[in-house]
Amino acid sequence: MPVRLFHNEKGKLSDVSAKAGLTGLSGMWSSITPADVNGDGKIDFILGNCGYNNQFHASPDQPMTLYAADFDNNGTLDPILCYYIQGKSYPMASRDELLDQIVPLRKKFITYKSYADATIADIFPPEKIAQAEVLKCEQLASGILYNNGDGHFTFSPLPMQAQFSKIYGVVVDDFDGDGIPDILVSGNFFPYRTELGRDDAGLGLLLKGTGRGFLPIDPAESGCYIDGDVRAMVEIKNGAGERQLIIGKNNEAVQVLKVNHK
């Protein structure tokens, strides 16, 4: 779904996303964290997404597209995900996967060669496609939704090193004590289908605030190492006033890191 903004008028919500400039931002979003990241007194939003380190490609001109319909008339929805490869949109599912689910297609695609270049329009008749619910993904990058202060927002992707994996956990703090907010991100996503592989390249990344943007700091330099299938991250202060990061992971123990003062 896209990032959306609603205006609250005495308890009645109205969608003002387009008016606020939130276009081309449908994605596979995983987290949203409010924080004034540029020190202008206005709340911005750090948005976690799936990143670039996967086989998918998406843009407003060439979005990932999901068609959901009962294509084989058996009473259940069949979701068909397509994405662009060299300027043309193809289904993600292999011939074996698709034909195992929609058996009548075995008569149409007898060989692998016949399926290799097939698009959604080649596989299903126009009337079936017209009946489908269509969802699109136009943005894969995690980034910052900057608050311009006039009711408009501007999206800016995080540095490339922050796009290596899906982002779930985000903490904003002045980790290096220079008076400028920094951003710490963590994530990963292990349950992708086998042919996509684990999304496990995230090791926790410190993005140092410079006043003009954010500089990625290698984990070897920052001393931060957050691996595993991370789902959430928060910062707390214990009874002694020490800052600690609590990281929740899927099917793993909770990880606790101490934030050292510079």
Side-chain angles (χ1 to χ4, degrees), residues 17 25 144:
S17 305
L25 288 181
I144 300 174

Side-chain angles (χ1 to χ4, degrees), residues 33-51:
T33 305
D36 179 10
V37 299
N38 54 4
D40 64 355
K42 298 183 289 290
I43 295 298
D44 311 298
F45 297 92
I46 306 162
L47 306 177
N49 207 346
C50 72

